[in-house]
Amino acid sequence: MIIIAVRAIPRDRRDRYEDEFRADLWLLTPRGQLVHAVSVLAGIIRLRRSLKENAMRSISNWRCRIGLHHYVVVSDDNAENQKAFHLECTRCLKLKDTKEYEPSDGKYMSGGTIPL
């Protein structure tokens, strides 16, 4: 079943996913291997679609190739830090971290003492 699933993946990615799927089967019992192979087969259409969409995004965006990304602010999924966010290109999905620092009065850079 793994071989059938791998055939559905785009040719340039087959080796990687075949190795990955076979490695997942390594320590499972025969029944577990069957269950895992069926689940891989069930999700292969979504994986194929996702791989093709990402490949098309990266190929068709000539503006991103020359560095003209279209970044938008995206909130992180971190529940502990609600203020965390990053920039993400809408065309090629490249991520860019944002650096937010509190403004300093410069006292510490000039050799000032640290207040207690």
Side-chain angles (χ1 to χ4, degrees):
M1 281 194 231
I2 295 294
I3 295 171
I4 295 168
V6 169
R7 293 267 183 216
I9 295 175
R11 190 177 305 253
D12 60 332
R13 308 269 180 105
R14 284 184 189 165
D15 290 339
R16 175 195 168 203
Y17 282 96
E18 183 176 9
D19 291 344
E20 200 169 305
F21 294 152
R22 287 182 189 272
D24 291 342
L25 296 174
W26 181 253
L27 293 175
L28 297 175
T29 64
R31 184 174 187 275
Q33 289 178 354
L34 180 63
V35 170
H36 181 68
V38 169
S39 71
V40 166
L41 196 58
I44 203 68
I45 300 301
R46 284 183 294 184
L47 177 61
R48 176 186 168 93
R49 187 178 305 135
S50 175
L51 290 173
K52 283 190 167 193
E53 284 176 5
N54 287 342
M56 296 214 19
R57 280 186 180 180
S58 64
I59 291 170
S60 64
N61 296 311
W62 60 270
R63 290 173 284 199
C64 293
R65 288 186 195 169
I66 60 172
L68 299 175
H69 295 281
H70 183 257
Y71 289 114
V72 294
V73 176
V74 178
S75 295
D76 289 343
D77 294 332
N78 187 354
E80 294 177 5
N81 188 1
Q82 297 293 330
K83 295 181 181 179
F85 62 91
H86 63 274
L87 299 176
E88 184 174 322
C89 179
T90 58
R91 293 187 290 258
C92 70
L93 303 178
K94 179 179 178 179
L95 301 177
K96 183 175 183 181
D97 285 333
T98 56
K99 304 292 182 199
E100 283 202 15
Y101 301 104
E102 304 246 342
S104 172
D105 59 3
K107 182 179 352 180
Y108 302 115
M109 292 188 286
S110 64
T113 59
I114 299 175
L116 298 175

